[in-house]
């Protein structure tokens, strides 16, 4: 199917003020947010409940208007345009299908409003049914579909309008865990196949990681960090970011020396090398970001002394909880066959030698 060019989206110093219904005080639900989303990319707005991600998406769609700042679609300023005049389409958490229409008519609805010729509508709807793997289901009523099938219809209905930007508001929240994983893979495949720009709201970090070219992690109305999933996972800029994305343990230490982009940190009397952004000086207290897969347990050689407090076999890895001084550390020792397995109560050494560590 021939498609038009995807659009980029730009947010310039966007602020949205709401009044707290209880205290009657005004607060910034979205606070001076700047974003530059490239055409054809898949970007997720991620963050805890209430951080402002849905409000940001709704401002892009035109369901809310910003109190400050300007939103651009391509080079066009769109603040003043109503949702139907914007080149966007939204897939909602609740599907928002028309209950008295069958699958075909749900998908065709927007095209009929645009007064597209009947034959053309039929072709486009059948193309979409094939894309979302619902061929043959066009005559079904929406209440005869599973949740996953309903969400596919919602996706087809948005895609058939050929929007410059596709918006998703937690579209998989109502599906069971297994179906969420299947559907997110399909959404990503379809987005890549069509090369469409997608902006996706979720509070699920694994969903954000697996879908995105870029993650925008928000906290209290502001952007805590933006970057590729790898940048956010390996080089978080704060404890909030490190903790929100993936499993993490923090090792407290003191900076001994600093050189270029690396630091030597004293952790419980052991020297550890880590990368830093150059904001640390000798003598500073700091925290090493330790991902569960980035260290090994040994019983001899160099390492930070620790005590095993929990040890269990998970198939792909042996899962440990360790205590180094007062610090609790979580560790996944992958491919444990052939590694020494430590049991709860044993002493061990936490070996960080081959890890690329990040320090805050
Ligand atoms: P969730 O994952 O729970 O949907 P979110 O990150 O999408 O959270 P938003 O829905 O954008 O958060 O809301 C941001 C803040 O603004 C929250 O504190 C919310 O209670 C508040 N808020 C949202 N809509 C309104 C409104 N119409 N009036 C007043 N406050 C609002």
């Amino acid at each position: 199917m021939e498609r038009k060019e995807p659009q980029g989206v730009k947010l310039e110093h966007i602020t949205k003020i709401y009044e707290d219904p209880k205290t009657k005080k005004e607060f910034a639900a979205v606070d001076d947010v700047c974003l530059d989303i490239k055409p054809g990319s898949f970007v997720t707005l991620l963050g805890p409940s209430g951080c402002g991600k849905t409000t940001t998406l709704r401002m892009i769609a035109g369901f809310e208007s910003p109190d400050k700042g300007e939103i651009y679609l391509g080079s066009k300023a769109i603040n003043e345009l109503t949702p139907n005049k914007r080149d966007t389409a939204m897939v909602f958490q609740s599907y928002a299908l028309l209950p008295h229409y069958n699958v075909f008519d749900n998908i065709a609805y927007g095209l009929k409003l645009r007064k597209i010729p009947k034959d053309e509508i039929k072709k486009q709807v059948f193309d979409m049914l094939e894309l979302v793997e619902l061929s043959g289901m066009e005559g079904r009523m929406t209440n005869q579909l599973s949740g996953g099938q309903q969400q596919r219809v919602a996706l087809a209905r948005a895609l058939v309008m050929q929007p410059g930007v596709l918006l998703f508001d937690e579209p998989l929240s109502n599906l069971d865990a297994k179906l969420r994983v299947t559907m997110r893979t399909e959404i990503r495949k379809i987005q890549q196949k069509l090369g469409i720009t997608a902006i996706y709201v979720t509070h699920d970090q694994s969903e954000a990681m697996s879908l995105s070219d870029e993650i925008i992690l928000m906290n209290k109305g502001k952007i805590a960090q933006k970057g590729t999933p790898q940048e956010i996972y390996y080089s978080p800029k704060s404890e909030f970011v490190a903790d929100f994305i993936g499993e993490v343990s923090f090792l407290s230490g003191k900076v001994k020396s600093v050189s270029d982009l690396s630091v030597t940190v004293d952790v419980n009397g052991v020297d550890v090398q880590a990368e830093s952004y150059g904001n640390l000086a000798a003598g500073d207290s700091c925290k090493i970001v330790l991902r569960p897969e980035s260290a090994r347990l040994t019983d001899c050689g160099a390492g930070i002394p620790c005590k095993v407090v929990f040890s269990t076999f998970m198939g792909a890895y042996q899962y440990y909880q360790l205590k180094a001084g007062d610090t609790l550390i979580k560790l996944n020792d992958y491919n444990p066959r052939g590694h020494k397995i430590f049991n709860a109560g044993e002493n061990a050494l936490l070996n960080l030698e081959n890890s690329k560590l990040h320090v805050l």
Side-chain angles (χ1 to χ4, degrees):
M1 191 177 13
E2 215 175 290
R3 300 197 70 85
K4 57 182 195 189
E5 287 295 302
Q7 299 271 359
V9 178
K10 211 175 207 169
L11 272 63
E12 280 185 354
H13 301 285
I14 292 296
T15 295
K16 180 71 188 174
I17 308 287
Y18 283 131
E19 188 186 272
D20 186 318
K22 228 179 184 175
T23 63
K24 302 289 173 211
K25 275 195 185 149
E26 288 192 334
F27 72 101
V30 177
D31 192 358
D32 197 27
V33 162
C34 295
L35 279 180
D36 193 353
I37 294 169
K38 290 189 194 71
S41 61
F42 200 119
V43 171
T44 42
L45 299 170
L46 173 70
S49 179
C51 71
K53 51 195 189 299
T54 305
T55 305
T56 304
L57 192 79
R58 289 174 61 81
M59 285 192 283
I60 297 170
F63 301 128
E64 302 281 353
S65 49
D67 291 293
K68 279 187 209 154
E70 192 66 60
I71 302 176
Y72 295 87
L73 221 94
S75 55
K76 191 170 169 187
I78 57 167
N79 282 27
E80 303 306 323
L81 299 182
T82 54
N84 60 341
K85 291 272 172 348
R86 300 185 182 199
D87 192 11
T88 57
M90 177 99 104
V91 180
F92 296 91
Q93 179 177 344
S94 57
Y95 319 133
L97 299 177
L98 300 162
H100 305 300
Y101 284 39
N102 65 17
V103 168
F104 183 96
D105 289 332
N106 263 282
I107 300 173
Y109 186 76
L111 297 177
K112 283 183 183 163
L113 289 183
R114 279 191 190 167
K115 308 234 179 319
I116 310 270
K118 260 190 173 169
D119 284 357
E120 184 58 23
I121 290 181
K122 199 169 172 188
K123 182 183 175 312
Q124 289 191 22
V125 171
F126 277 90
D127 280 352
M128 277 304 135
L129 284 166
E130 197 182 327
L131 187 71
V132 300
E133 296 177 16
L134 284 181
S135 295
M137 299 250 191
E138 57 276 6
R140 290 241 193 138
M141 298 307 285
T142 54
N143 63 5
Q144 296 170 325
L145 300 174
S146 70
Q149 289 166 338
Q150 288 185 49
Q151 197 51 287
R152 282 167 208 260
V153 177
L155 180 61
R157 184 185 55 179
L159 284 170
V160 84
M161 302 307 286
Q162 301 206 16
V165 181
L166 190 57
L167 307 173
F168 293 92
D169 186 10
E170 306 232 17
L172 307 181
S173 306
N174 291 338
L175 305 179
D176 67 53
K178 207 167 168 196
L179 196 54
R180 286 177 73 129
V181 175
T182 314
M183 277 297 287
R184 78 185 186 207
T185 311
E186 286 185 28
I187 287 176
R188 180 59 161 157
K189 277 188 189 160
I190 290 172
Q191 181 267 337
Q192 284 178 329
K193 189 169 173 187
L194 301 178
I196 195 169
T197 313
I199 309 177
Y200 188 105
V201 162
T202 181
H203 60 266
D204 180 335
Q205 53 97 15
S206 63
E207 208 165 280
M209 279 229 258
S210 63
L211 281 167
S212 313
D213 294 310
E214 190 176 29
I215 295 175
I216 317 290
L217 180 52
M218 294 184 71
N219 189 22
K220 297 180 184 156
K222 287 187 176 295
I223 296 176
Q225 190 168 344
K226 54 186 163 187
T228 63
Q230 290 85 347
E231 280 164 355
I232 300 221
Y233 187 76
Y234 289 121
S235 306
K237 289 188 175 153
S238 64
E239 269 188 60
F240 169 80
V241 175
D243 210 17
F244 200 84
I245 296 271
E247 279 273 4
V248 71
S249 308
F250 296 106
L251 293 174
S252 298
K254 224 174 191 98
V255 177
K256 277 180 86 173
S257 61
V258 181
S259 71
D260 264 354
L261 289 175
S262 97
V263 288
T264 305
V265 181
D266 177 336
V267 180
N268 297 353
V270 177
D271 282 1
V272 174
Q273 303 293 325
E275 62 169 24
S276 104
Y277 289 116
N279 52 345
L280 290 168
D284 284 350
S285 295
C286 64
K287 283 190 171 165
I288 289 177
V289 176
L290 186 68
R291 295 296 181 189
E293 70 283 3
S294 60
R296 287 277 321 277
L297 272 191
T298 55
D299 53 2
C300 59
I304 299 165
C306 55
K307 196 172 195 87
V308 178
V309 292
F310 185 72
S311 169
T312 192
F313 178 58
M314 302 294 287
Y317 58 91
Q318 185 78 16
Y319 173 70
Y320 292 112
Q321 287 184 359
L322 316 158
K323 269 276 172 91
D326 292 336
T327 309
L328 183 72
I329 298 164
K330 291 170 235 161
L331 200 70
N332 299 346
D333 184 13
Y334 276 89
N335 205 4
R337 226 181 207 184
H339 293 182
K340 174 177 164 52
I341 300 298
F342 292 83
N343 295 312
E346 282 188 80
N347 290 318
L349 294 165
L350 183 68
N351 187 322
L352 304 169
E353 245 171 38
N354 297 316
S355 316
K356 201 168 171 237
L357 297 167
H358 179 76
V359 68
L360 295 173

